[in-house]
Amino acid sequence: MGKWFEEAGLEEDVVVSTRIRVARNLKDYKFPQMMNIEESEKVTQEVLNAMKSLAHNGNYKFIRISNLEPLDRRIFIEEHLISPGLIQRPDQSSFLLREDENITIMINEEDHLRIQVLLSGLNFEEGWNLCNEIDDFLEDTLNFAFHEEFGYLTSCPTNVGTGLRASAMVHVPSLVITGYINSLVQGLNKIGLAVRGIHGEGTKAIGNLYQISNQATLGEEEEEIIEKLKNVIYQIINKERDVRNNLIGSRKKEIEDKVFRSLGILKYSRLMTSREAMAHLSNVRLGKEMGIINDIDYNKITKLMVQIQPASIQKGIDKELTKGERDARRASLIRELI
Amino acid sequence: MGKWFEEAGLEEDVVVSTRIRVARNLKDYKFPQMMNIEESEKVTQEVLNAMKSLAHNGNYKFIRISNLEPLDRRIFIEEHLISPGLIQRPDQSSFLLREDENITIMINEEDHLRIQVLLSGLNFEEGWNLCNEIDDFLEDTLNFAFHEEFGYLTSCPTNVGTGLRASAMVHVPSLVITGYINSLVQGLNKIGLAVRGIHGEGTKAIGNLYQISNQATLGEEEEEIIEKLKNVIYQIINKERDVRNNLIGSRKKEIEDKVFRSLGILKYSRLMTSREAMAHLSNVRLGKEMGIINDIDYNKITKLMVQIQPASIQKGIDKELTKGERDARRASLIRELI
């Protein structure tokens, strides 16, 4: 089975991935937090029934959280295929995953339905089209909670309206090196965009990766939201590329040293935390972005950034690894793959 | 021409080099600080005449400091072949260097004569024998300043007596990692031994290298001084080896990580200061000492430690390099040689 992060993507020198998700709820049910197990099972069955005839859209695997080992739950989160919120009530939550892993339909997360499309690189058009198609299709069968004035009703008021959240994960090492990132984040917040770390709300930026998304879901059409975000992302892409060009002109040796040191450390270390690995992988990506290193692909770096996360590192090992053992295994995996 | 640091040596897993030097002065001359150029030239000629018949001891090259470019003077110092004191009065000072570079006879340093023997590894016997042989030979011809009660007279009172300073350069990373080095230095000072960095008096320890030497030159026979120092060096060797064994038992992964990271950084960096290079080379040496890295010889590491010093880095370049250019050239040289 392919993975979203194994594909090449557009504008991949800056944009790692694009994500679109809509939140929907069924009219005749309480929100997931209020439901008992029977009710949540009814919602699940309604969604599964509605999905049955969506076969033309690709094959989906249905997975109940309760059927997953805790480790596998965390791996799905590290791969960004499900949200951390989905595993909060394992007995009620489940998801459908399209076999290319670009589409996840989460059932009984914070809302009854969360349709997520995740694509490599910058691709709001395809992301939105896919998401919209599934949404329209499901709406033919399911009775979504919708208010004439407010739009789609959601568990959390911040999602009411379109229920849409669009985001791009950008890698902006040059904006971080030069400090531009701070004023950028302030500016984005002012125009109603959120800037987060790689694991969404409340997480810190690591590896110079920032997830930029719309905050508002009310009062704007989906296409407007996406168009506005897309324009901002292109501004960020251009700014990052400009600053890279300046840096390669003015601080070439220093940047080369930073890039190659990180490569050397990744190739030789015997112990490494995920945070340190992310920092070095970010520098290697910067090397690729600046043409300093050429024999590595962006998606290989993205894949490594996923594979070195704590749960993924534990995968395939029978016993629970200690932190030291994970750090050793991580270093060993990186040496093997890079 | 071979170099002392290209030879393998005894106990080389701890001892980098052994140095013996005696200070001598000619009876009928002022000490060098007090001499004018004519007088210093007379001393030089007396020594050269006396040395003429020493051909059986090997071929010597005669070099006047004034004939050396400033850069080459500093390189001889970095190679430990002459002392920093020898270049203080370039018009008066010179030296004879045996072609194997194990013996330097410095003329008009702080004393009229400084006979130095420098050998790879631990080798006080050969060091003392060579030094003593040259001293005896010169004494047949030259009239050394000698006092019945005090012994050989020298410019600085700390050298009066035997005029002998014996030292060993030890690499004791394990004693540094575990902090044993601090009590060791205190203990050595108490029994009248000096502990210094790699460039002698007043220099700081870098690269976990310590030069241990006698302080006293008065009231003890040469052989006693050397025997006492040798016993202490063996204690240090044994202690360092014990601690290494403990470390490899208790902190294997951590030490391996430290060693390989340094190797990776040395193999990949594009900019490196000499201080940083010394630290990483020390870690690589530790790797060799602990059997973690096997495909590198001790003398290759020692040679690199010399070659990466600031003056040696400038060698062969027409223009004066900036610090940044030296750091780039150093990194490049290391990548090429390691």
Side-chain angles (χ1 to χ4, degrees), chain A residues 216-234:
Chain A
T217 53
L218 200 60
E220 283 179 301
E221 294 289 313
E222 287 87 345
E223 285 79 2
E224 274 179 78
I225 292 172
I226 289 174
E227 192 59 28
K228 179 178 152 189
L229 183 61
K230 192 176 123 182
N231 288 337
V232 168
I233 298 299
Y234 266 111

Side-chain angles (χ1 to χ4, degrees), chain A residues 133-144:
Chain A
E133 185 189 349
I134 295 165
D135 181 37
D136 285 351
F137 174 84
L138 288 174
E139 198 156 21
D140 285 346
T141 321
L142 298 170
N143 205 352
F144 286 159

Side-chain angles (χ1 to χ4, degrees), chain B residues 10 114 147 154 174:
Chain B
L10 297 168
R114 289 270 176 112
H147 183 281
T154 55
S174 302

